[in-house]
Amino acid sequence: MSIKLSVPGKVLDKWFNKLQQRPVLAVTVSSLWLLVIGWIAFGWNLGNVGLVDETEPLFAEASRQMLVTGDWITPFFNGETRFDKPALIYWCQAIAYSIMGVNEWAARIPSALAAMGVIALAFYTVQWYFAKQDELEQVSNLPRRYFTAAIASALMALNAEMIVWGRTGVSDMLLNGCIGSTLLCFFLGYAQNNPPIVIANFRLPNKWYLACYVLIAGAILTKGPVGIVLPGLIMMAFALYVGKFWELWREMRPILGMGIVLLLSLPWYVLVTWRNGWNFINAFFVYHNIERFTEVVNGHSAPWYFYFLVVLLGFAPYSVYIPASLARVKFWQRSHWLKQERSQHLGLFACLWFLGVFSFFTISVTKLPSYVLPLMPAAAILVALFWSDLFPSSQTLTPTPLKSLRISAWVNVALLTVISIALFNLTHIAGPDPAAPELYAQMEKSGILKFGGIIWLLSTVISASLILSHRYRQIITINLVGFIAFIAIVLMPAVLIMDQQRQLPLRELSALIVESKQPNEELIMVGFKKPTVTFYTHQNVNYIKFSQQALEYIHKQASQQNKPPSLLMVVEQGKFQEMDLPLDTYKSLATKGAYHLIRIPLKTVKQENFNLS
C-alpha cells in the first residue's frame, strides 16, 4: 500500500525557486535556522544557572587553575593532579575564561559550540546528499532537500542527550563534536571523491580527509584513544562493506594521516608524561581507559540493555522511529549498496555509525549515559532520511512504506502518552532528594509538571488524529514543536528551580566563605563532596566523608603546636547531628538549604568535648 500526498502549493514552490535562484538567500535562511535551533537547544540561559555538582566544576576549576598558574600541560584540581581527561577541554575553557571572564558561560561555551558545529556540518551533509540525488534523478526537489536537512539538524539539536551535554562544561560534547565531525568529513571526502591536493609534487588527501585527520587529533586530545579507535572502526567497517578498502587506503593515505594526527596530538602526551611519569600513565591510560572498558569503574555498572533505555529516553520522542529507519536502509542487501553511487551511501554510513557506537559501548563494562552521545548525529540523520520519503517532488507522488510508518507513529503516540502520565505523577514517582528536600514541592507548586503533561498529551491527541487522517508528514513537526514548547515552558523553569534548590545554597555559602575566611584558616567539608565550593571560593577544600573522621581530624589539628586559630567547616544536616558538637565548641555562621557553615576555634577543642572513640 502507499499513501498519496498533496502537491505543494504555488507559494511554496515559488519560495523554493527563489532559494534555488539565489544561493545567498539559501545560505542565509539555512544559517538562521541553525542559529535559532542552536540557541534554543544550547544558548538559552546557558550561563544563568550555576555549575552542577559533581563533575562539571571539576573541569571548570581545573581550567581556571590552568589559566591562573600558566601551566597548560598538567591539569590540577584542589591541589592535586587531575588526569581523568586530556587537555583540550581545559584549553578551550581557559581560553574562554580569558575572553569572557571566569563564569558559567565561559565554562560551557566550548560544549555549546561543539554541538552547534557538528549540527551545522550535518545540515550541509544532508542537503548535499539530496542535491546529488536530484542530479542523478534529473529532478528538482528543493522541498525534500532543505526540509530533510532542517529536520536532521533539528532532531540532532532538540533531544535530551544533546541538550544536557551541550549545556554542561565537561568533555563529552567536545568529544561528540570531534567524532561526529570526523565521520561526516570522512563521508564527504568519500562521497565527493575530489582529487588530491598537490603541493610541490607532493600528493595530500582531499580537504575533507585532511579535516578528518585534524578532528581525530582533536578527539584524542579530548578523551584519549577512544577518539581514534571508535571512528577508525566505523570507517574501516564501512570501507570493507562497500568493498573499497584498498581504494580508500590510496585516497586517504592513512600513514600520512597518522603522521598528521600524531603531530597534532602527541606533543601534549609526551610533555605530560615527561613531567608526571607513571602517575599519568597509570591514572589516564590504565584506569580511565583500559579499566573503564574492561571493568566497572566508580560503580558505573548497568545491565546489557542499558543503552536501549538511554537511546529510547535520550533521543525521545523520535527514538521510536530508529528501528524503522534502520530497516529502511536494508544494510543486509549488500549487492544493492555496491551498485549505488558513492554519494548515495549516506543512509548506509549512518547505519554503520549508529550500530558501531551502540555496539562498542554496550560491550564496555563501565556504562554511563553520556557514552552513547556520539551516535545521536547518526540517529538524527537516519530518522530524517526515513521522513524524507514524505517529501515528494512538486511533480510526482512518492509511495511511502506505510506499514512501518504507521506502526512507528502509533508507538510514538504510546511513548508520548507515557511521558505525559509520568510528568503528571512525577512527584510520586521520584524519590526524595536529600540535598534539596523542597525540590519537587516547588516544581509542583509552580505548575510546570502539569504544563509538561498537557504539552505531551496535546501532542498525543494531535498525532493520533494525523495518523487516522493519513497526514503523516506533520507528525514529526508536532514532535519538534512539542519539544520546543516543553523546553520553553517546562525545562527552563525546572532548571532554574533545581538550581535554586540544589546549587544556590552552595554558591551562597561559597560567597560567605570568601567573605569571612581568615588567613591560614583551613576549609573542610564533611559528609559530601561538592566541587562547586572549590570553584566558587577559589580555595582548596579538605573533603572528609564520615563524621567520626572529621572529629578525629579536628582534634588532630587542635593538638598541633603551630595550629591555626580556627577552621571552617561545611557540613550537611545529617552529619552535623552525628558529630554532636557541644555549643561552646563552634560558632554557626550560616545555614543554607541542607548545609551548615560553622567555625571551630581550635584553642577550645578538648578531647572530652568530642566523641572520639
Side-chain angles (χ1 to χ4, degrees):
M1 292 181 65
S2 65
I3 58 173
K4 294 189 176 182
L5 303 172
S6 61
V7 178
K10 293 182 179 179
V11 176
L12 195 59
D13 279 342
K14 186 177 180 181
W15 191 82
F16 277 108
N17 286 332
K18 285 184 178 180
L19 287 181
Q20 189 174 31
Q21 295 168 5
R22 301 178 184 177
V24 174
L25 179 61
V27 171
T28 302
V29 172
S30 300
S31 300
L32 286 174
W33 170 254
L34 292 170
L35 286 172
V36 168
I37 63 172
W39 175 258
I40 291 172
F42 311 113
W44 190 2
N45 279 335
L46 178 66
N48 293 344
V49 294
L51 300 181
V52 180
D53 285 303
E54 295 179 359
T55 307
E56 190 177 26
L58 298 176
F59 284 89
E61 174 62 12
S63 301
R64 190 191 70 82
Q65 284 288 315
M66 190 169 280
L67 179 66
V68 170
T69 63
D71 184 352
W72 295 76
I73 303 301
T74 304
F76 284 91
F77 174 80
N78 205 39
E80 298 179 353
T81 55
R82 185 171 195 270
F83 296 136
D84 296 46
K85 301 295 181 289
L88 185 58
I89 182 62
Y90 305 123
W91 293 343
C92 291
Q93 289 180 324
I95 292 170
Y97 289 155
S98 67
I99 298 171
M100 306 172 66
V102 179
N103 54 51
E104 294 85 355
W105 277 96
R108 292 165 177 159
I109 202 69
S111 295
L113 292 178
M116 294 176 71
V118 71
I119 290 166
L121 186 56
F123 181 97
Y124 170 80
T125 304
V126 172
Q127 67 85 25
W128 179 88
Y129 162 78
F130 279 105
K132 295 299 293 184
Q133 190 174 99
D134 288 352
E135 184 180 313
L136 292 171
E137 296 175 355
Q138 297 183 343
V139 299
S140 178
N141 197 343
L142 287 178
R144 180 180 63 179
R145 176 178 170 181
Y146 283 102
F147 277 148
T148 307
I151 286 175
S153 56
L155 295 179
M156 201 177 299
L158 301 173
N159 64 77
E161 277 273 311
M162 290 289 287
I163 288 174
V164 168
W165 301 111
R167 289 174 164 272
T168 306
V170 297
S171 61
D172 295 273
M173 184 53 73
L174 186 58
L175 176 70
N176 182 42
C178 289
I179 288 180
S181 298
T182 292
L183 292 170
L184 289 170
C185 285
F186 165 78
F187 175 78
L188 289 168
Y190 163 81
Q192 294 184 6
N193 198 18
N194 294 327
I197 299 172
V198 180
I199 300 176
N201 294 324
F202 186 76
R203 295 173 70 253
L204 294 172
N206 67 48
K207 61 182 180 180
W208 292 112
Y209 290 146
L210 286 176
C212 176
Y213 290 132
V214 172
L215 288 161
I216 286 175
I220 293 172
L221 281 170
T222 301
K223 217 157 186 174
V226 71
I228 189 172
V229 171
L230 187 56
L233 289 174
I234 293 169
M235 290 186 288
M236 287 177 58
F238 176 76
L240 290 170
Y241 185 94
V242 296
K244 298 182 184 296
F245 182 84
W246 294 113
E247 189 175 340
L248 282 170
W249 181 276
R250 290 190 293 272
E251 290 177 14
M252 294 188 71
R253 304 197 68 186
I255 296 177
L256 173 64
M258 284 303 300
I260 295 172
V261 170
L262 293 175
L263 179 66
L264 294 174
S265 62
L266 193 59
W268 177 80
Y269 283 94
V270 171
L271 288 172
V272 74
T273 303
W274 177 61
R275 282 194 182 183
N276 300 277
W278 284 104
N279 288 335
F280 169 73
I281 293 172
N282 288 329
F284 179 74
F285 287 106
V286 177
Y287 182 75
H288 285 291
N289 284 273
I290 297 174
E291 289 187 11
R292 278 183 181 271
F293 192 81
T294 59
E295 303 175 21
V296 176
V297 171
N298 294 335
H300 297 308
S301 63
W304 63 269
Y305 54 82
F306 176 70
Y307 288 124
F308 287 92
L309 299 177
V310 171
V311 174
L312 175 65
L313 298 177
F315 195 61
Y318 335 107
S319 51
V320 297
Y321 296 101
I322 292 177
S325 301
L326 291 170
R328 174 188 179 276
V329 173
K330 297 180 180 178
F331 60 88
W332 54 88
Q333 294 183 359
R334 186 167 182 261
S335 59
H336 164 76
W337 288 106
L338 293 179
K339 296 175 185 176
Q340 299 295 314
E341 295 284 340
R342 283 189 175 199
S343 62
Q344 299 309 294
H345 285 169
L346 180 60
L348 174 66
F349 182 67
C351 177
L352 294 177
W353 176 353
F354 179 91
L355 295 175
V357 176
F358 190 90
S359 301
F360 183 86
F361 288 110
T362 297
I363 294 171
S364 174
V365 178
T366 299
K367 290 179 169 61
L368 284 169
S370 61
Y371 284 2
V372 291
L373 188 60
L375 64 73
M376 292 298 159
I381 292 171
L382 284 168
V383 174
L385 294 179
F386 176 71
W387 283 94
S388 71
D389 294 337
L390 296 177
F391 297 112
S393 69
S394 59
Q395 303 299 324
T396 61
L397 297 174
T398 304
T400 303
L402 182 61
K403 186 175 180 180
S404 62
L405 179 62
R406 179 187 295 164
I407 293 172
S408 300
W410 281 119
V411 176
N412 190 177
V413 168
L415 178 61
L416 294 181
T417 303
V418 171
I419 294 173
S420 177
I421 294 171
L423 285 169
F424 279 125
N425 297 277
L426 186 61
T427 55
H428 303 293
I429 297 172
D433 186 346
E438 298 296 321
L439 175 61
Y440 295 113
Q442 289 297 320
M443 283 191 177
E444 190 168 20
K445 182 180 179 181
S446 69
I448 59 174
L449 297 178
K450 292 181 180 178
F451 289 136
I454 291 171
I455 288 169
W456 292 119
L457 184 60
L458 286 173
S459 301
T460 299
V461 173
I462 295 172
S463 297
S465 66
L466 290 172
I467 296 170
L468 294 173
S469 59
H470 302 286
R471 290 180 294 170
Y472 292 93
R473 186 191 300 181
Q474 292 85 351
I475 294 174
I476 198 69
T477 305
I478 294 301
N479 280 274
L480 288 169
V481 171
F483 201 95
I484 292 172
F486 183 77
I487 292 173
I489 299 172
V490 180
L491 184 60
M492 289 302 167
V495 168
L496 292 174
I497 292 173
M498 290 176 66
D499 179 64
Q500 291 169 0
Q501 294 293 315
R502 299 188 89 256
Q503 299 300 139
L504 181 59
L506 289 168
R507 294 201 302 276
E508 291 175 338
L509 285 182
S510 298
L512 287 170
I513 290 168
V514 173
E515 181 181 327
S516 60
K517 190 173 184 292
Q518 299 173 359
N520 299 322
E521 191 173 38
E522 185 181 13
L523 175 61
I524 67 173
M525 184 176 289
V526 181
F528 62 102
K529 186 175 182 179
K530 300 294 183 183
T532 48
V533 176
T534 302
F535 176 80
Y536 287 111
T537 62
H538 299 175
Q539 303 286 337
N540 289 344
V541 180
N542 185 358
Y543 297 103
I544 301 176
K545 188 173 183 179
F546 300 107
S547 56
Q548 185 64 26
Q549 289 178 334
L551 292 173
E552 293 172 359
Y553 182 80
I554 294 168
H555 188 266
K556 179 181 177 182
Q557 294 299 106
S559 63
Q560 293 182 2
Q561 187 173 3
N562 297 322
K563 60 189 175 186
S566 61
L567 61 79
L568 287 176
M569 180 168 66
V570 181
V571 59
E572 64 179 6
Q573 179 67 33
K575 296 299 180 183
F576 184 59
Q577 293 175 350
E578 286 181 8
M579 294 178 73
D580 193 24
L581 295 176
L583 291 175
D584 58 349
T585 60
Y586 70 91
K587 179 182 178 181
S588 180
L589 300 181
T591 299
K592 300 291 182 181
Y595 310 109
H596 301 285
L597 175 64
I598 65 175
R599 171 174 282 123
I600 300 178
L602 294 179
K603 63 182 180 180
T604 65
V605 173
K606 297 179 181 179
Q607 182 167 351
E608 56 267 23
N609 295 132
F610 287 72
N611 296 322
L612 297 175
S613 55

